[in-house]
Amino acid sequence: MRFLIAGNWKMNTDRHAAAVLAAGVVEASGGVSEVDVVICPPAISLDAVFGEIHGTSVKMGAQNVHSADSGAFTGEVSVEMLKSVGCRYVIVGHSERREYFCETDESVNAKVKQAVAHGLVPIVCVGEKLSERDSGRASDVVTRQVNAGLADVKISAADELVLAYEPVWAIGTGRTASPEQAQEIHALIRKLLVEHFGDAGKDVRILYGGSMKPANAADLLQQTDVNGGLIGGASLVADQFDAIVRAAVDVSTD
Ligand code: PEP
């Protein structure tokens, strides 16, 4: 399966810095044809970033979307708005949005349905908190998040959807899930995807996220069901992000 390496810039970079970073990503990783490369800048800079990536192999995603077509939802952006500035992807249900912005499995599900129905590829984030892992509930939590997040979602091809396993205890902490811990949950997500989508579920990509860095990327990407990475901190430095992209190229051509 083709790896997908996505950078989540979170609330970092102003418009100018975002354009400079995007240009750096294009310069470093733009010539890579073996791996899909996606960057997800803040909404305010999507337009500026698209100006840098347009016509290159680098694709763009947003970090959030609303589940309605349009209307009285102050401060929100719709799927069509994101598509109109060049987005192909959107991160949905990131743990920071679940934690700080009250997103629930139900609101995540509504966003996933809206994105898929209108041709924007959601990167659906799931993952347990440290207390949930320590009490042996990681699999239960991820099962609930996947099943609720994907309820009644219909895809006609595997590339209409991406999942991301992001253990909350590994995000921005420098603490990474071991390759075995990642594979165990990725295999569970694969099983759930096949239950939801049949054969198409075998080819939906499952990214790992949580302190993925150049130094640990290859070990994680070598796992059977790890089909790429969702990168936070390391995506803010074009060379570090590129080193992860190169690790993906090396693993895929091994
Ligand atoms: C993320 O927030 O999606 C993430 C994986 O962050 P980091 O790489 O910084 O842990």
Side-chain angles (χ1 to χ4, degrees):
M1 207 183 299
R2 203 176 150 82
F3 283 123
L4 190 161
I5 303 295
N8 174 12
W9 296 359
K10 309 193 184 187
M11 198 173 72
N12 296 296
T13 66
D14 64 13
R15 186 178 163 85
H16 175 71
V20 169
L21 180 53
V25 171
V26 168
E27 194 184 332
S29 312
V32 170
S33 58
E34 301 90 338
V35 168
D36 291 332
V37 177
V38 177
I39 50 180
C40 303
I44 196 80
S45 300
L46 287 167
D47 204 24
V49 165
F50 191 62
E52 301 295 332
I53 65 157
H54 186 50
T56 79
S57 59
V58 177
K59 302 296 175 226
M60 189 172 73
Q63 299 174 16
N64 185 31
V65 68
H66 196 271
S67 56
D69 289 341
S70 63
F73 301 105
T74 302
E76 294 291 313
V77 293
S78 72
V79 166
E80 292 304 332
M81 291 173 192
L82 294 178
K83 283 168 56 184
S84 75
V85 291
C87 287
R88 288 267 188 99
Y89 296 84
V90 61
I91 299 170
V92 174
H94 190 281
S95 61
E96 287 152 14
R97 294 212 57 86
R98 292 179 191 255
E99 174 82 13
Y100 306 130
F101 303 99
C102 309
E103 293 209 4
T104 62
D105 289 337
E106 290 66 36
S107 63
V108 169
N109 178 241
K111 292 176 182 205
V112 173
K113 283 196 277 202
Q114 178 75 355
V116 170
H118 294 90
L120 190 65
V121 179
I123 301 174
V124 187
C125 300
V126 298
E128 80 285 359
K129 297 178 185 165
L130 185 58
S131 58
E132 293 166 335
R133 173 157 286 268
D134 286 347
S135 58
R137 289 184 292 135
S139 298
D140 288 349
V141 169
V142 170
T143 300
R144 189 204 75 225
Q145 291 175 334
V146 171
N147 284 340
L150 300 183
D152 300 322
V153 171
K154 307 268 180 276
I155 56 170
S156 46
D159 60 3
E160 292 174 9
L161 178 70
V162 176
L163 267 283
Y165 170 54
E166 298 208 307
V168 179
W169 47 272
I171 294 180
T173 59
R175 203 176 145 187
T176 316
S178 68
E180 295 74 25
Q181 284 173 323
Q183 172 54 28
E184 187 185 356
I185 301 292
H186 280 235
L188 167 67
I189 297 172
R190 175 69 60 216
K191 178 178 86 69
L192 298 170
L193 284 169
V194 171
E195 283 170 17
H196 276 268
F197 304 115
D199 275 352
K202 292 181 188 162
D203 293 326
V204 171
R205 288 181 287 194
I206 310 170
L207 314 184
Y208 168 80
S211 300
M212 191 186 263
K213 308 263 183 259
N216 59 29
D219 285 347
L220 288 157
L221 293 169
Q222 267 153 5
Q223 302 304 305
T224 313
D225 293 303
V226 177
N227 313 122
L230 182 54
I231 326 293
S235 72
L236 293 171
V237 181
D239 286 350
Q240 278 194 35
F241 187 61
D242 181 57
I244 297 173
V245 171
R246 303 281 158 185
V249 172
D250 288 348
V251 173
S252 63
T253 52
D254 253 0

